[in-house]
Amino acid sequence: MQRALSLVYPDQCILCPELVERSGGLCAACWRDMAFLRGLVCDACGVALPGAEADEGALCDDCLTIARPWTRGRAVFAYRDAGRRLVLMLKHGDRPDLAGPVAAWLEMAGRPLLTPETVIVPVPIHWSRLIRRRYNQSAELGHALARRTGLVHCPDALIRLRKTPVQDGLTADGRFLNVAGSMEVHPKRARMLSGRDVCLIDDVMTSGATLAVASEACLEAGARRVCVLVLARVGKDA
């Protein structure tokens, strides 16, 4: 039956109409256009670093100067080309189904971070945006990752206290000021985080301001340590 269905409804690339061998895959062109972050990356934010060999503990210039409240971080790909298209489709294109196929990439990138005791916590969006968008893309990613890893997923662990203006166009300092004090841990979920490792999940990291606020909220609730795992990392040339 599956073989017959594949003949009638052949699988397409998740980013374009090109046919692929299996569901949830990328065509050759889109794969080449995806800037996966491998090799030497910053241990705190996942951005690519000059050099060919992995060096655990290496930090980028930003993470050497900015005090990150989280311990370690990773990103799947750079926020450009096919990666940027994928994020925008997931976030604004009504494509929550993309979370399933990319969860395997998240699992691979997150292997240095995840422990059996890790609780997966998505970065929340304000309720007014949730009503308009109908889903939180970060929660969709967290749910898909939890299914693959068997880890605990707490989609409502964090609450957005206020609707913050869009971060686009703001300086790094402006981004941090914009989101300062905008999140807290849900009172009924604090016990789930206390003494546990937390992995924050989001779609994109730019300055790290949003993830910093989320990390601080988790640590204040008693989390042992926080790491961050995102689909895309914005580079300085973006």
Side-chain angles (χ1 to χ4, degrees):
M1 176 64 72
Q2 189 65 37
R3 194 175 296 114
L5 286 173
S6 66
L7 292 174
V8 179
Y9 303 104
D11 294 319
Q12 291 184 335
C13 171
I14 61 175
L15 290 180
C16 76
E18 190 72 24
L19 300 184
V20 294
E21 293 183 359
R22 55 185 175 182
S23 176
L26 291 169
C27 68
C30 288
W31 182 268
R32 288 192 300 269
D33 206 27
M34 189 73 70
F36 288 104
L37 294 168
R38 302 189 180 98
L40 185 59
V41 298
C42 175
D43 196 48
C45 74
V47 73
L49 295 175
E53 297 183 2
D55 179 14
E56 188 172 309
L59 298 176
C60 68
D61 291 344
D62 284 348
C63 292
L64 284 170
T65 57
I66 299 173
R68 303 294 194 188
W70 63 83
T71 304
R72 305 179 74 187
R74 289 294 187 273
V76 176
F77 48 74
Y79 185 66
R80 57 182 173 83
D81 305 327
R84 183 176 184 274
R85 286 194 290 125
L86 191 154
V87 169
L88 292 177
M89 289 168 66
L90 172 66
K91 190 170 186 174
H92 300 298
D94 197 23
R95 292 290 307 277
D97 58 289
L98 291 174
V102 304
W105 303 342
L106 280 170
E107 181 185 15
M108 186 176 299
R111 280 175 185 166
L113 316 178
L114 304 175
T115 69
E117 294 300 311
T118 297
V119 179
I120 296 174
V121 174
V123 170
I125 59 176
H126 192 261
W127 64 265
S128 60
R129 288 196 172 104
L130 183 60
I131 291 175
R132 185 173 67 252
R133 197 177 298 164
R134 297 186 295 107
Y135 63 92
N136 174 6
Q137 70 280 357
S138 299
E140 297 293 328
L141 292 171
H143 180 61
L145 180 62
R147 282 204 311 267
R148 288 192 62 89
T149 60
L151 296 175
V152 175
H153 178 221
C154 192
D156 60 347
L158 290 170
I159 303 170
R160 284 266 188 174
L161 299 175
R162 55 186 172 83
K163 183 179 179 181
T164 54
V166 176
Q167 299 271 69
D168 294 348
L170 296 178
T171 63
D173 289 342
R175 287 172 177 267
F176 278 90
L177 288 172
N178 187 39
V179 297
S182 63
M183 294 184 211
E184 69 177 13
V185 171
H186 193 298
K188 294 183 178 180
R189 300 291 180 260
R191 184 177 297 180
M192 289 186 65
L193 306 188
S194 181
R196 301 281 295 273
D197 294 339
V198 170
C199 180
L200 290 172
I201 302 292
D202 207 0
D203 53 352
V204 182
M205 183 194 306
T206 303
S207 66
T210 300
L211 288 160
V213 172
S215 297
E216 289 164 354
C218 292
L219 292 169
E220 288 175 6
R224 181 168 56 185
R225 67 176 64 89
V226 177
C227 65
V228 300
L229 179 59
V230 299
L231 261 189
R233 180 70 169 96
V234 176
K236 291 185 178 181
D237 57 346

